[in-house]
Amino acid sequence: MTIKEKIDQLRAELHRHNYNYYMLNAPEISDKEFDDMMRKLQDLEKAHPEFLDENSPTMRVGSDLNKNFMQVAHKYPMLSLGNTYSENEVTDFYERVRKALNEDFEICCELKYDGTSISLTYEDGKLVRAVTRGDGEKGDDVTDNVKTIRTIPLVLHGSYPKLFEIRGEILMPWTVFEELNREKEIREEPLFANPRNAASGTLKSQNSTIVASRRLDAYLYYLLGEELPCDGHYENLQVAANWGFKTSEHTRKARSLKEVFEYINYWDKERKNLPVATDGIVLKVNSLKQQKNLGFTAKSPRWAIAYKFQAERALTRLNKVSYQVGRTGTITPVANLDPVQLSGTIVKRASLHNADIIEGLDLHIGDMVYVEKGGEIIPKITGVDKDARSMLIGEKVKFITHCPECGSRLIRFEGEAAHYCPNETACPPQIKGKIEHFISRKAMNIDGLGPETVDMFYRLGLIRDTADLYQLKVANIKTLERMGEKSAENIINSIAASKEVPFDRVLFALGIRFVGETVAKKIAKSFADIEELENADLEKLKSIDEIGDKIAQSILSYFSNPANRELVERLKTSGLQFSRTEEELDGYTDKLAGQSIVISGVFTHHSRDEYKNIIEKNGGKNVGSISSKTSFVLAGENMGPAKLEKAQKLGVKIVSEDEFLALIL
Ligand code: IVH
């Protein structure tokens, strides 16, 4: 077998196993066998770049090259649907269709998936482009990100039209959403309000490895093209399912208005048991011929309508407001409620966000409050039933002035909604929270230590801060509750292994307010070691891409605290990585610092992606479109005429490939 044949064989097998696993839920091989096969293919592809294939299963792993999305015009505009919340309007729609068609018709009833819409183009059975809705006329090309979604086929089976589009919804399943928010909560990052925001935020991520890790899903519901297999919309989707697309198994055809309402009423309740969010039902005239006869208004088709479910709301009593202290000292007020049934779960607590919200609601203890879940997983209080207030109305809720955990006076920064406890080095939940963040997977990745173990170690005085972890011995912990020789050894080994974690993740692990993963990466690229960072002034910090006043101030404030400097010293003495390795330093310069560069055309020496990488490694920024702020256009052969004209008009310099390479030499 030639190398090429071997590669093709591996690709075909991996496509098949991917389908078995993600679409049929029926894997034939173990995860390990799958991973091994994938690794084998990756190695071969790396050794033989001449056999590159944009649709190889390895493309699903993502790449962490930054990208600015290209805007692409939709071949068919992406329209929205007329919305209604009323059953009468559903009847009106049905009657309108009947009058206009004056013949028998069927209505295809579908779930309205609540994610972010996507248009996929397939040519010769291969995914060639994935574009977001954008403004309906043009959207962002997010193909690389979409390729990481396992339920979207990269290559199709069976016989399909040579060229077609298929549209659908990209979703984040509830379980993934909840897990992601739990992780975000630990890191004190802002939570995603609902799976829809999480899905669209993820899809727009600049880093496709992040997209790959988020386990997005997709349902396809609209086929477009010149040569579709059937006249029925429903039938087309069934055929598309055979090509490898994930279509909803809950789609039904209705032959009467009564059947339409049966579908609506069934799903209004049953949707709570679905793994993904839905916010209504979509009704579509099934025959494409009839669709064509009915046509479109300026904004939406006359052959379809969306019936939206009412967001669920419940009325219950507010018993108490308690306050949580997070890792960086943020105080979150929480409403404690009489338990109430809402969207399938029992709600006892709801976030009150901040002091302003409490004030705005004019909240009193004992009030009857409205709780809503809508698309949001964390219930919120949307109002107070003031009529239900009796003579016995409780006290007005006043935001606390002191930390409920350590008694320190709270502070509130100019222009910020949240209150903070400033006692970062001695307030127990802040200390424990910092340790939990430090050991988390994306930080130091210390296995075997969870929040309960951290809590126990803390209570027993074994650890008071993150540096104490590196002093732990098997002998100290093996006799503790739920521990044993083996798990104690695992923990100690895992702590030791974390000494190899690279500089950027160590920076992230320190838990400096506003220094998330991305910012930590940028810092690690710009500073050779922690001393350089400790000594940087405001100007120096703000000169780094993505670091503004707020982050810079937070870094300064962190290092102005002697306790933090001492902690870093102790961690350094324990052997953690506080400088970039030679490998990370390799090839980084600031020759293009502060420059915004557009790439256009075809190149001979490197690929476009490589040029993007080169620009970033040299401190520049690759941007998608030309504006007056563009420093220059890196132009290969056949630069687009529209881009050329725009550059000339704005007086933006055009730099050839060779000139560019000389520039960064
Ligand atoms: S059909 C021209 N079907 O709802 C009609 N849309 O406001 C094209 N959606 O942008 C859309 N589930 O993001 C259709 N089963 C479904 C849908 C659905 C969710 C979304 C879609 C669209 C919006 C319509």
Side-chain angles (χ1 to χ4, degrees), residues 602-616:
V602 183
F603 298 92
T604 23
H605 300 297
H606 298 277
S607 71
R608 286 172 75 107
D609 275 350
E610 281 165 355
Y611 275 119
K612 274 188 196 171
N613 210 1
I614 293 172
I615 289 172
E616 277 156 17

Side-chain angles (χ1 to χ4, degrees), residues 79-81 83 110-113 116-117 133 169 221-222 282 284 296 301 303:
L79 300 174
S80 61
L81 292 171
N83 273 337
E110 303 175 11
L111 290 169
K112 186 170 188 309
Y113 288 102
T116 180
S117 47
R133 179 166 188 277
E169 206 79 354
Y221 48 63
Y222 190 21
V282 181
K284 300 174 183 169
F296 294 84
W303 44 263

Side-chain angles (χ1 to χ4, degrees), residues 569-587:
E569 257 332 290
R570 284 167 55 220
L571 289 170
K572 211 189 301 171
T573 315
S574 295
L576 270 62
Q577 304 297 319
F578 277 107
S579 57
R580 288 184 302 214
T581 59
E582 281 311 308
E583 195 183 318
E584 285 165 312
L585 274 173
D586 200 22

Side-chain angles (χ1 to χ4, degrees), residues 21-22 60 145 148-151 170-183 198-199 202 208-218 246 275-276 441-442:
Y21 185 93
Y22 289 99
R60 296 210 191 260
N145 284 349
T148 67
I149 302 172
R150 307 290 169 146
T151 43
I170 292 186
L171 299 148
M172 181 176 283
W174 285 112
T175 49
V176 179
F177 168 74
E178 280 154 21
E179 190 183 317
L180 182 65
N181 264 357
R182 262 197 306 276
E183 284 172 12
T202 301
S208 54
T209 47
I210 294 186
V211 188
S213 73
R214 295 264 174 96
R215 290 172 283 151
L216 295 176
D217 202 350
K246 181 160 179 172
V276 292
R441 195 162 48 86
K442 290 187 173 164

Side-chain angles (χ1 to χ4, degrees), residues 279-435:
D279 61 343
I281 298 292
V282 181
L283 305 172
K284 300 174 183 169
V285 171
N286 193 49
S287 152
L288 301 192
K289 207 161 97 249
Q290 292 178 336
Q291 286 186 3
K292 212 163 155 210
N293 287 340
L294 289 162
F296 294 84
T297 68
K299 286 202 308 243
S300 51
R302 287 202 183 86
W303 44 263
I305 193 169
Y307 170 83
K308 301 256 263 188
F309 298 127
Q310 228 32 275
E312 269 198 275
R313 198 162 86 140
L315 194 61
T316 187
R317 185 178 307 278
L318 173 73
N319 293 322
K320 192 174 108 179
V321 175
S322 55
Y323 296 85
Q324 284 176 352
V325 186
R327 158 173 71 87
T328 54
T330 327
I331 309 288
T332 309
V334 179
N336 295 234
L337 308 164
D338 269 355
V340 64
Q341 183 83 25
L342 183 65
S343 304
T345 55
I346 292 176
V347 175
K348 287 188 230 143
R349 288 146 61 85
S351 169
L352 280 166
H353 302 287
N354 58 52
D356 295 343
I357 300 232
I358 294 178
E359 194 54 43
L361 287 167
D362 181 31
L363 211 55
H364 288 66
I365 300 299
D367 269 344
M368 291 303 285
V369 292
Y370 290 105
V371 199
E372 252 180 53
K373 226 150 122 186
E376 267 100 279
I377 179 70
I378 301 164
K380 58 176 183 221
I381 291 185
T382 53
V384 177
D385 181 1
K386 298 224 166 109
D387 295 339
R389 274 187 188 161
S390 64
M391 300 290 286
L392 299 168
I393 178 180
E395 241 178 278
K396 185 172 157 71
V397 177
K398 283 237 298 284
F399 205 88
I400 46 170
T401 53
H402 290 77
C403 176
E405 299 281 346
C406 74
S408 303
R409 188 170 187 85
L410 301 182
I411 51 168
R412 192 174 186 180
F413 296 112
E414 188 66 32
E416 275 194 45
H419 281 78
Y420 293 98
C421 164
N423 186 13
E424 54 176 325
T425 47
C427 178
Q430 293 195 59
I431 299 173
K432 281 188 277 181
K434 281 196 176 67
I435 300 174

